[in-house]
């Protein structure tokens, strides 16, 4: 069993690994009824809806090419030419207390792999984290099996939790400056925090949310994505408003900043969201930042756990 860096020639097998986990391929018909269809009958976009880039060869190639350009790390575990596992990770230079760390953003292992195989893959990933000195992972609180997996093979323990909150976008009463901002160099967020939306890690979300990958797929780019530089009373931030898939008047918010969320920045985000035409904004926040939210917010019952291990 060999663990090595992925190459573009691996794309087809990686896609097969991921798409093989989809029990039924479906799409909405003209009358909004759900139709069960064979994989080959679906468009690239319809496959993408089942789990993102790794649902088809075309989008998988685009994403893997981006990772291999230096934006992330991609590994495959191979046995006799057959790929049995895939993992991708991102190096982060984040605001304290996380600091520099490697974030494991994706891992999928074939059910045929042995306990020793799992340890082999984990050891390779942990070895890549020795430079920054820390590895981080993320999982839903309700996924006890994944939590057990990360504890068993990586030694990860919970660091903090996030919850998604929904608030109304509204005109604010504070002064701030803003402008559209589309520069994509990730060095801009070095030593910054992902003050809003940290469901994985700052770099992982920068590469997937801030950077545009899917301009050739009109159904994906139809979802509005607005990227702005904001300076709210000296609190600067790069903020992304991404229109939600099934609710065009709502947006998921991601915010990179050299400081954690402040009242001034929150007011600016709500005002900007309103000016962009959204009614509702969804923000993933740790408990300390959630204290700044207005009383009329709503809270998702599920939480995301960020776990870490020192290497």
């Amino acid at each position: 069993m060999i663990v090595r860096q992925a190459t573009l020639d691996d794309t087809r097998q990686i896609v097969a690994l991921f798409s093989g986990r989809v029990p039924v391929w479906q799409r909405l018909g003209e009358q909004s009824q759900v139709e069960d269809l064979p994989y080959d009958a679906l468009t690239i976009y319809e496959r993408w809806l089942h789990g993102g880039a790794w649902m088809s060869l075309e989008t998988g190639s685009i994403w893997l090419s981006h990772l291999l350009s230096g934006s992330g790390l991609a590994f495959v575990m191979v046995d006799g030419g057959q790929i049995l596992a895939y993992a991708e990770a991102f190096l982060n230079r984040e605001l304290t207390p996380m600091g520099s760390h490697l974030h494991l953003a994706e891992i999928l292992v074939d059910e045929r792999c042995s306990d020793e195989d799992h340890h082999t893959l984990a050891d390779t990933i942990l070895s890549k984290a020795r430079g920054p000195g820390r590895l981080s992972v993320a999982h839903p609180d309700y996924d006890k099996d994944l939590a057990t997996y990360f504890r068993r093979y990586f030694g990860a323990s919970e660091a903090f939790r996030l919850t998604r909150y929904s608030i109304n976008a509204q005109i604010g009463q504070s002064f701030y400056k803003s402008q559209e901002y589309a520069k994509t160099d990730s060095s801009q967020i070095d030593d910054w925090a992902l003050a809003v939306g940290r469901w994985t890690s700052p770099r992982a979300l920068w590469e997937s949310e801030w950077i545009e990958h899917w301009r050739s797929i009109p159904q994906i780019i139809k979802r509005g994505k607005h990227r702005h530089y904001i300076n709210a009373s000296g609190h600067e931030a790069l903020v992304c408003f991404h229109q939600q898939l099934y609710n065009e008047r709502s947006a998921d918010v991601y915010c990179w900043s050299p400081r954690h969320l402040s009242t001034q920045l929150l007011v600016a985000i709500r005002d900007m969201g309103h000016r962009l035409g959204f009614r509702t904004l969804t923000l993933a926040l740790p408990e300390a930042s959630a204290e700044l939210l207005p009383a009329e917010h709503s809270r998702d019952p599920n939480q995301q756990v960020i776990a870490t291990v020192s290497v």
Side-chain angles (χ1 to χ4, degrees):
M1 192 71 72
I2 300 172
V3 180
R4 59 167 173 78
Q5 178 177 287
T7 69
L8 279 178
D9 286 328
D10 299 322
T11 306
R12 189 177 301 277
Q13 285 199 58
I14 299 172
V15 168
L17 190 67
F18 278 84
S19 60
R21 297 298 179 95
V22 179
V24 181
W25 297 93
Q26 299 176 320
R27 74 176 177 197
L28 288 178
E30 294 182 359
Q31 304 301 320
S32 296
Q33 77 280 13
V34 177
E35 301 174 339
D36 293 351
L37 291 169
Y39 177 85
D40 290 340
L42 299 178
T43 65
I44 292 174
Y45 176 68
E46 289 166 345
R47 297 171 191 169
W48 182 85
L49 288 174
H50 286 77
W54 287 118
M55 293 296 105
S56 65
L57 180 63
E58 295 82 0
T59 49
S61 298
I62 292 171
W63 179 241
L64 184 56
S65 179
H66 178 66
L67 294 178
L68 298 180
S69 71
S71 300
L73 301 173
F75 305 98
V76 289
M77 186 163 64
V78 184
D79 183 18
Q82 183 175 10
I83 292 175
L84 296 179
Y86 172 80
E88 65 187 41
F90 298 87
L91 288 166
N92 297 264
R93 284 180 52 187
E94 191 175 352
L95 188 67
T96 56
M98 290 297 291
S100 295
H101 62 99
L102 180 72
H103 180 77
L104 178 60
E106 190 80 71
I107 185 167
L108 184 60
V109 185
D110 191 280
E111 296 176 352
R112 293 169 291 175
C113 288
S114 67
D115 186 68
E116 182 181 355
D117 297 334
H118 285 282
H119 277 293
T120 298
L121 180 60
D123 288 345
T124 299
I125 295 168
L126 287 168
S127 71
K128 297 297 182 181
R130 291 196 183 105
R134 177 182 291 179
L135 178 78
S136 70
V137 296
H139 63 84
D141 176 55
Y142 61 79
D143 196 335
K144 306 303 181 185
D145 290 340
L146 191 53
T148 300
Y149 182 88
F150 286 137
R151 283 196 302 269
R152 177 176 180 179
Y153 295 107
F154 292 90
S157 58
E158 181 176 327
F160 58 93
R161 295 179 175 226
L162 298 106
T163 304
R164 281 195 174 106
Y165 300 88
S166 293
I167 60 175
N168 293 329
Q170 68 175 35
I171 297 176
Q173 300 300 318
S174 68
F175 175 77
Y176 69 93
K177 297 179 181 179
S178 70
Q179 65 183 56
E180 292 185 6
Y181 193 89
K183 294 181 180 179
T184 60
D185 184 358
S186 63
S187 65
Q188 298 172 99
I189 61 169
D190 282 350
D191 302 316
W192 283 22
L194 188 50
V196 178
R198 196 195 189 288
W199 215 242
T200 58
S201 80
R203 183 70 184 276
L205 275 168
W206 179 267
E207 300 298 337
S208 62
E209 283 293 335
W210 190 269
I211 300 175
E212 298 282 8
H213 301 286
W214 317 115
R215 292 190 179 277
S216 58
I217 306 175
Q219 300 96 324
I220 294 180
I221 63 171
K222 184 178 179 181
R223 290 175 58 197
K225 183 183 287 188
H226 307 272
R227 296 167 293 169
H228 289 261
Y229 168 83
I230 291 178
N231 189 319
S233 301
H235 190 165
E236 61 178 340
L238 296 175
V239 184
C240 176
F241 299 85
H242 198 173
Q243 185 181 49
Q244 293 183 358
L245 182 59
Y246 297 111
N247 188 347
E248 63 181 17
R249 299 303 301 274
S250 297
D252 294 315
V253 180
Y254 307 96
C255 171
W256 295 261
S257 174
R259 297 162 50 192
H260 295 294
L261 187 64
S262 65
T263 299
Q264 294 86 349
L265 181 57
L266 178 61
V267 171
I269 289 172
R270 297 181 73 186
D271 183 86
M272 177 62 67
H274 182 273
R275 295 176 187 275
L276 291 172
F278 297 114
R279 292 178 179 173
T280 306
L281 305 175
T282 298
L283 296 77
L285 298 170
E287 185 176 352
S289 296
E291 295 176 357
L292 301 176
L293 296 177
E296 65 272 16
H297 70 263
S298 62
R299 171 181 176 141
D300 191 291
N302 298 315
Q303 292 184 309
Q304 183 82 331
V305 175
I306 307 296
T308 62
V309 55
S310 297
V311 181

